[in-house]
Amino acid sequence: MTSDDLACVPEVEIDPDGTFKYVLIKVSTKKPAGGSSNEKIVVRGFRWGAYHADIFEDTEEKVRKMGLTAKCLGGGRIHHNAAAKQLNVYGYSQGFGKADHEQTVQLLKTSYPDYEITWSNSGY
C-alpha cells in the first residue's frame, strides 16, 4: 500500500455531541522489504463503544481492509458540547492506558479550529 492509501484515513472521527470513550491510533503502511513505512496518528471516539477496545477493533478492521496496520496508543474520554463549541479530553483506558491528550488536542484542533479545546489527566 502507498501513502495515498494512508491519506484516505481521516485524522479525526468523533461523535458530534456528548461524552464518549476515544482511542489514539497509529495507522501505518506495511513496511516493504528494505524500506520504511509511512504512518499517521488518528483519533476515534464514539458513544457506541462500551469499551475502548470496541472502537479500536472497529478502526483496525477498516484500515486492515485498506492494506494498512493499526496500533492503539492509549485512550481516554472526550466531552463534546457542539452548542458551546467545546471539547474536553480527559481520563484513560483501563485496557490501553492513557493516550497522549496533548497530541489528541492537536489533532482535534485541525478538525475543530473554531472550538475551545481543553484537556486534563484527571477523571476516568
Side-chain angles (χ1 to χ4, degrees):
M1 291 290 123
T2 67
S3 57
D4 290 339
D5 299 313
L6 195 58
C8 292
V9 179
E11 281 82 13
V12 175
E13 288 183 348
I14 63 170
D15 272 340
D17 208 37
T19 300
F20 44 85
K21 294 178 180 175
Y22 90 91
V23 287
L24 194 62
I25 302 169
K26 178 168 57 174
V27 179
S28 307
T29 57
K30 293 185 178 172
K31 185 176 178 179
S36 62
S37 63
N38 292 315
E39 60 189 40
K40 74 190 302 186
I41 307 298
V42 301
V43 176
R44 297 293 183 267
F46 306 105
R47 285 190 307 261
W48 57 256
Y51 298 98
H52 291 91
D54 295 333
I55 299 168
F56 173 68
E57 289 167 4
D58 178 71
T59 303
E60 182 181 38
E61 181 181 335
K62 289 175 182 173
V63 301
R64 187 175 52 241
K65 289 178 181 178
M66 299 172 69
L68 303 169
T69 63
K71 177 182 179 184
C72 188
L73 302 176
R77 293 180 187 261
I78 295 175
H79 176 72
H80 187 173
N81 183 337
K85 292 190 173 188
Q86 295 175 329
L87 290 163
N88 182 34
V89 179
Y90 64 96
Y92 61 94
S93 162
Q94 289 183 340
F96 295 117
K98 185 181 78 63
D100 181 342
H101 295 327
E102 288 184 74
Q103 188 172 28
T104 301
V105 166
Q106 291 308 310
L107 290 166
L108 290 170
K109 284 181 178 181
T110 64
S111 294
Y112 297 90
D114 58 339
Y115 269 56
E116 176 188 349
I117 305 175
T118 59
W119 68 273
S120 75
N121 285 324
S122 62
Y124 170 73

